[in-house]
Amino acid sequence: MHRFANPARFLRLAAVVMPWTAGATVLLIAAGLFFGLVASPADYQQGDTVRIMYVHVPSAWMGLFVYTTMAVASATALIWKHPLADLVAKSAAPIGAGFTLVCLVTGALWGKPMWGTWWAWDARLTSMLILFFLYLGHMALVDAFDDPTRGARAAAILALAGFVNVPIIKFSVDWWNTLHQPASVVKMGGPAIDPSMLAPLLLMGVGFTTFFVTVLFLRVRAEILAAKIRAIRLTQVRGQGVG
Amino acid sequence: MALGATFAGVIRRELRLALRQGSDSIMVVTFFVLTVVLFPFGIGPEVNILERVSAGILWVTALLASMLSLDRLFQTDYDDGSLELLTLTPTAMEIVVVAKIAAHWLTTGLPLIVAAPLLAVLLHMDGAGFVTLLLAMLLGTPSLSLIGSIGAALVLGARRGGVLLSLLILPLYIPVLIFGVGAVDAAIHGFSPDAHLMVLGALLLVALPLCPWAASAAVRQAIE
């Protein structure tokens, strides 16, 4: 793991990995959209609105997955003082907030025709909203300090504290099962969803994941370059001060 | 032995400070009372509406009052440098933090619990909910102080710490709010509040070891 603590090595790895993940993203999402929007049947109850699912559900998965990534990166940063882990956690937060927002917005668009309301105070919707606020809090805390390392360390502790919330979100369905339908992909006795709908859903899910990896690499690379620019500027300023 | 002595010593110090600057505790209760009194003006004086929302109003307001007093937990000690001295004690930092949290609860949570039944009367809460309200607040407000300590320690030295604190802490308060209100509502409608109270107790038992641990980690990195 500490092999990648070296920024130069990470940048070389990113240059190799990113074209592949970017290409996979394009292919997977294109295939997922084709099977989701064209080749899959409309739901017998929900009609064509069911197709919102192919964006809504993967973005909900990603909202949780990105927070998990952040928590793992934060733990790595706190335990091993891994310099890149801080950057990973910092760069992942806005992406996760984006996925969560997409999930909330598509959920509202789906809820209007199905439930007759934009918003319902149901366990899963509410915990998704809480997750969104957790992301915002993390992003605000990272930027709240003059010293970037101080902000990174405080945010790492916050991410771990907030991570306690992620299982509550995942299992809240079973706790306060109300208006939202119970989990139907991962449950005992196999998925309760037709394979023709499951295939595009999984394609989109994997596509969203490779998209996340691509953007994460991009953002971490930008952070490393920004740190370099900052260092160069500082030496320039010092040089002028002496001269 | 030294552990208990440190614990008691920090609590004594915190309580003495709170008593000498007596206004702090009173301010928290005043905020609680004033905010609750605003609600009848906001939603009208009808008895049945106030009765329906009384548990929620009391809990939300208690939560805000508890949050507003969080800056007293570490911020003042951080500003005058005594927090740095406290980290130098030979006892584990966690013990100092637990003591500070306990003192914070004694000076804010406890006064809120004392004031709550009076406000419940003003909001026409059903008599059946009173005992449960007190029990739920006894179990819930320590969790608020515990969870809040993480946020209070994290924003030490941050810009706009106050606003930031609410963004960090309020989402984490939500489970306590849900089960606190749930307990009182269950009791008012003639159901057993036991399940809600047990979850509140469970939240407290989880928060008790974890929050001081996280908060002292945050204090340590703020002092460095």
Side-chain angles (χ1 to χ4, degrees):
Chain A
M1 186 173 54
H2 281 268
R3 273 179 64 81
F4 301 109
N6 179 343
R9 192 172 282 145
F10 174 85
L11 288 177
R12 278 202 301 278
L13 175 82
V16 174
V17 170
M18 262 169 39
W20 290 96
T21 52
T25 305
V26 173
L27 288 177
L28 284 163
I29 290 186
L33 283 178
F34 172 75
F35 284 111
L37 298 183
V38 184
S40 80
D43 189 78
Y44 76 102
Q45 275 178 328
Q46 307 194 8
D48 277 330
T49 49
V50 77
R51 299 184 201 282
I52 296 174
M53 174 178 78
Y54 303 118
V55 177
H56 175 73
V57 175
S59 47
W61 288 341
M62 293 310 293
L64 292 167
F65 176 73
V66 174
Y67 206 88
T68 314
T69 311
M70 252 168 65
V72 172
S74 301
T76 312
L78 282 177
I79 296 170
W80 291 288
K81 309 258 181 221
H82 195 288
L84 273 179
D86 272 337
L87 293 183
V88 169
K90 181 185 176 187
S91 315
I95 311 174
F99 278 125
T100 315
L101 189 64
V102 167
C103 173
L104 286 169
V105 170
T106 52
L109 292 175
W110 197 4
K112 186 65 184 165
M114 285 302 111
W115 298 339
T117 170
W118 296 108
W119 179 259
W121 287 99
D122 148 79
R124 266 209 278 193
L125 280 100
T126 314
S127 32
M128 224 48 203
L129 188 65
I130 300 172
L131 184 66
F132 183 60
F133 288 134
L134 286 177
Y135 277 121
L136 290 188
H138 187 273
M139 286 153 65
L141 191 63
V142 167
D143 289 335
F145 297 91
D146 295 325
D147 174 10
T149 57
R150 174 97 169 67
R153 210 127 17 109
I157 295 173
L158 180 73
L160 287 179
F163 187 58
V164 178
N165 228 50
V166 171
I168 298 177
I169 290 163
K170 188 66 189 150
F171 296 111
S172 58
V173 192
D174 305 328
W175 291 2
W176 309 296
N177 196 348
T178 50
L179 192 57
H180 208 293
Q181 65 155 347
S184 53
V185 174
V186 183
K187 70 179 195 184
M188 303 287 277
I193 176 172
D194 191 82
S196 66
M197 289 182 173
L198 187 60
L201 193 58
L202 292 181
L203 278 174
M204 290 295 275
V206 180
F208 274 37
T209 313
T210 52
F211 171 77
F212 164 62
V213 173
T214 313
V215 178
L216 184 65
F217 270 99
L218 259 178
R219 291 185 58 94
V220 172
R221 194 173 67 178
E223 289 285 343
I224 293 175
L225 297 179
K228 267 188 193 164
I229 292 171
R230 210 159 36 230
I232 293 170
R233 286 235 177 94
L234 275 176
T235 46
Q236 279 176 345
V237 169
R238 281 200 200 106
Q240 282 166 1
V242 172
Chain B
M1 193 59 222
L3 210 118
T6 313
F7 186 77
V10 173
I11 286 197
R12 256 203 312 279
R13 168 182 180 272
E14 296 287 320
L15 289 183
R16 196 176 299 143
L17 279 174
L19 286 177
R20 297 268 163 88
Q21 312 156 345
S23 58
D24 279 4
S25 248
I26 298 166
M27 288 292 265
V28 173
V29 177
T30 315
F31 172 83
F32 185 43
V33 174
L34 263 176
T35 318
V36 168
V37 167
L38 284 181
F39 276 90
F41 294 109
I43 57 182
E46 288 88 355
V47 174
N48 51 351
I49 297 179
L50 286 177
E51 190 186 353
R52 173 70 196 82
V53 296
S54 55
I57 291 176
L58 285 176
W59 264 105
V60 170
T61 327
L63 197 136
L64 292 177
S66 173
M67 190 197 75
L68 279 180
S69 62
L70 279 176
D71 61 331
R72 244 192 21 234
L73 202 49
F74 300 116
Q75 190 65 51
T76 44
D77 284 354
Y78 179 77
D79 290 341
D80 67 14
S82 46
L83 192 61
E84 219 158 320
L85 296 178
L86 281 172
T87 57
L88 294 177
T89 49
T91 331
M93 185 64 198
E94 282 79 2
I95 298 297
V96 175
V97 170
V98 172
K100 284 180 85 70
I101 294 168
H104 177 262
W105 179 76
L106 286 172
T107 52
T108 60
L110 208 55
L112 292 183
I113 296 176
V114 174
L118 180 72
L119 293 170
V121 173
L122 288 183
L123 292 176
H124 304 285
M125 184 190 274
D126 192 289
F130 274 63
V131 177
T132 312
L133 175 68
L134 288 183
L135 279 176
M137 287 190 80
L138 264 177
L139 287 170
T141 47
S143 303
L144 297 183
S145 295
L146 281 162
I147 299 169
S149 70
I150 303 179
L154 283 177
V155 299
L156 290 176
R159 295 186 297 265
R160 306 176 306 277
V163 190
L164 187 59
L165 183 61
S166 60
L167 185 58
L168 302 186
I169 284 309
L170 286 181
L172 303 179
Y173 274 175
I174 290 171
V176 177
L177 176 65
I178 288 175
F179 291 104
V181 175
V184 182
D185 275 345
I188 288 175
H189 294 108
F191 300 107
S192 165
D194 290 356
H196 295 276
L197 291 176
M198 279 180 193
V199 176
L200 277 179
L203 289 175
L204 178 58
L205 287 180
V206 172
L208 200 52
L210 291 184
C211 292
W213 186 45
S216 42
V219 169
R220 259 187 244 114
Q221 59 94 21
I223 296 294
E224 264 171 24

